[in-house]
Amino acid sequence: MLESTEILIVTISVVLIALVRIIDKKPPPIIGIYQRPSGLYWLKVGFMYLLLTLRKLKPLKKKELERFYSNIEKPQKLSVHEKPIDAVYLNGANKHGDHLVTGLARRKGSLTDGFLYLKINGSNYGLLETPKLPDTTLRNDNDEEFSADGIKMSCVEPMKKWTLMYNGKMKELDNRNKWHDVTIEGVWTSDLPPFNFDTDMDPLCMAKSMAYEKWSRQHFDNLKSNHQTHYEQFGVLRASVKIDDVAYDIELDTLRDHSFGNHREWRQFRRYGLHFFSAENGDRFSLGKICLPISFSRLTVGYVYSAKHKQIFPVKDCDLQLYQHGEFGTPPKDFAFSFTA
């Protein structure tokens, strides 16, 4: 029989070998892109969870928060980077099949990435798009505003009221030789709280997303360089639309967002899937998966606004995996996922 000392040595050896194998676990990324948990995954999760939780212990006071949002609702000073970013976006729809999606991203040298899509279900024109699409390169009407080529979005009251204006031509997506004169005068309003992705994300969910990646000095430099402030807010867009002198009044449940930062390089993004829902009971959902391999290959983002509780809850987990849906260029006709918040 083995002596107790020998048993102890064997036990310790087995445990050490097991630990080494666990720690040394370095599975290759899925299709060379989407990182998988290494042997240090849960240790990294715990470390980042602690840091992110400590960061949330010092929230801004109400007056400070109001002043903060008042300042960032304005067009931001662009960085000196070659591709700085300051972008606003509206995405709205209703149960009748009306849709409006528009965005203006201020860039360097009086350039703006801009577009507007409009579909009025009762118009029989299908989806309309602004003249230069699919090209989104526009010229600023004013360097201090969100405006370009007839599209203009303006803050009237921070976190409460914005206006959307458009006056120009639009063409039918299904027949780009058919043009229409279009004017839009819209007012977006909200009494719902915003969600700031810098401060309101669930710490554990964020820690898990960060722990997938290979940590290095370069990785954290990339995180810092690619960081963008991004916040979203659900509301209602009421607009008077005129297409070739025929008037339409529309009301859309609409998400508004604002992003700004040192730079945005679209070539660094591999894929992302963003979902916005407005329910009949007043609940709102925003759920996304982002693959930006230089920073995050599997980033989960999102939140739920509960009308019953009048409160926002950050998404804690989501089983949607981008590589399972249209990874090689063929979009799925349907898909499903579940999440918790």
Side-chain angles (χ1 to χ4, degrees):
M1 295 181 64
L2 293 174
E3 297 290 339
S4 58
T5 303
E6 294 175 325
I7 293 174
L8 180 61
I9 292 173
V10 171
T11 302
I12 292 175
S13 299
V14 170
V15 171
L16 287 175
I17 291 172
L19 285 174
V20 168
R21 288 186 175 181
I22 292 173
I23 292 173
D24 195 47
K25 177 185 174 185
K26 297 177 182 178
I30 297 170
I31 62 171
I33 299 293
Y34 300 90
Q35 297 292 340
R36 294 194 289 169
S38 69
L40 295 174
Y41 176 75
W42 287 108
L43 184 62
K44 292 160 71 176
V45 169
F47 176 73
M48 290 309 307
Y49 174 72
L50 179 62
L51 290 183
L52 294 171
T53 300
L54 290 174
R55 182 185 176 193
K56 290 176 72 71
L57 293 179
K58 293 184 178 181
L60 293 176
K61 296 179 181 178
K62 184 177 180 181
K63 289 292 184 182
E64 294 174 327
L65 196 61
E66 290 175 354
R67 186 162 55 250
F68 170 76
Y69 278 123
S70 178
N71 289 333
I72 65 174
E73 284 278 79
K74 305 171 185 176
Q76 301 297 297
K77 182 179 179 180
L78 296 177
S79 75
V80 297
H81 194 277
E82 182 183 355
K83 295 182 179 180
I85 185 69
D86 181 23
V88 289
Y89 175 76
L90 290 172
N91 187 324
N94 63 25
K95 63 182 180 181
H96 306 298
D98 302 326
H99 299 266
L100 185 149
V101 183
T102 185
L104 292 171
R106 298 172 57 242
R107 296 289 199 164
K108 197 171 184 178
S110 297
L111 291 177
T112 289
D113 292 335
F115 63 90
L116 190 153
Y117 290 101
L118 174 68
K119 181 182 179 183
I120 305 294
N121 195 43
S123 71
N124 297 317
Y125 296 132
L127 183 63
L128 300 179
E129 60 181 16
T130 37
K132 291 186 178 180
L133 282 168
D135 184 4
T136 62
T137 304
L138 309 179
R139 284 285 176 181
N140 295 349
D141 296 332
N142 185 321
D143 286 343
E144 302 300 320
E145 297 179 340
F146 295 110
S147 62
D149 285 25
I151 309 170
K152 183 176 182 179
M153 286 185 271
S154 305
C155 177
V156 178
E157 183 180 356
M159 299 295 157
K160 294 291 184 182
K161 185 177 182 180
W162 278 65
T163 58
L164 167 66
M165 309 292 288
Y166 179 70
N167 188 353
K169 297 284 188 180
M170 297 189 78
K171 60 184 186 292
E172 297 181 17
L173 179 66
D174 293 333
N175 186 345
R176 286 176 166 152
N177 293 318
K178 289 188 176 182
W179 293 77
H180 303 277
D181 294 311
V182 178
T183 60
I184 301 172
E185 296 181 1
V187 177
W188 177 93
T189 57
S190 179
D191 58 2
L192 303 181
F195 186 88
N196 188 332
F197 284 66
D198 275 350
T199 58
D200 300 336
M201 292 275 287
D202 179 74
L204 182 57
C205 181
M206 190 67 184
K208 289 179 179 178
S209 293
M210 296 184 74
Y212 281 120
E213 308 308 317
K214 296 179 180 179
W215 289 1
S216 65
R217 175 67 178 271
Q218 184 61 52
H219 172 70
F220 286 100
D221 285 345
N222 289 337
L223 283 177
K224 183 178 180 180
S225 175
N226 283 285
H227 173 261
Q228 296 174 27
T229 294
H230 176 85
Y231 60 95
E232 297 180 357
Q233 188 179 22
F234 278 95
V236 176
L237 176 67
R238 297 176 178 87
S240 297
V241 179
K242 189 175 287 187
I243 305 175
D244 296 334
D245 294 324
V246 179
Y248 305 88
D249 291 322
I250 58 174
E251 182 174 312
L252 311 174
D253 292 314
T254 303
L255 175 125
R256 177 183 69 89
D257 78 28
H258 184 192
S259 304
F260 58 90
N262 181 54
H263 80 284
R264 177 186 289 170
E265 174 54 83
W266 284 113
R267 291 183 181 88
Q268 293 177 346
F269 286 82
R270 179 174 177 84
R271 302 180 65 201
Y272 60 87
L274 304 178
H275 309 79
F276 308 124
F277 306 89
S278 294
E280 290 182 347
N281 67 352
D283 290 348
R284 306 288 195 275
F285 305 81
S286 174
L287 191 285
K289 284 280 190 171
I290 300 171
C291 179
L292 176 65
I294 194 172
S295 301
F296 296 96
S297 61
R298 301 169 69 173
L299 176 61
T300 299
V301 297
Y303 56 93
V304 174
Y305 171 76
S306 169
K308 178 180 178 180
H309 298 93
K310 299 186 183 303
Q311 185 178 350
I312 282 183
F313 299 92
V315 165
K316 296 180 180 294
D317 191 33
C318 176
D319 63 4
L320 175 65
Q321 302 297 341
L322 289 177
Y323 57 81
Q324 295 177 346
H325 305 285
E327 181 63 39
F328 300 104
T330 303
K333 293 183 178 179
D334 59 72
F335 63 97
F337 59 88
S338 61
F339 64 93
T340 57

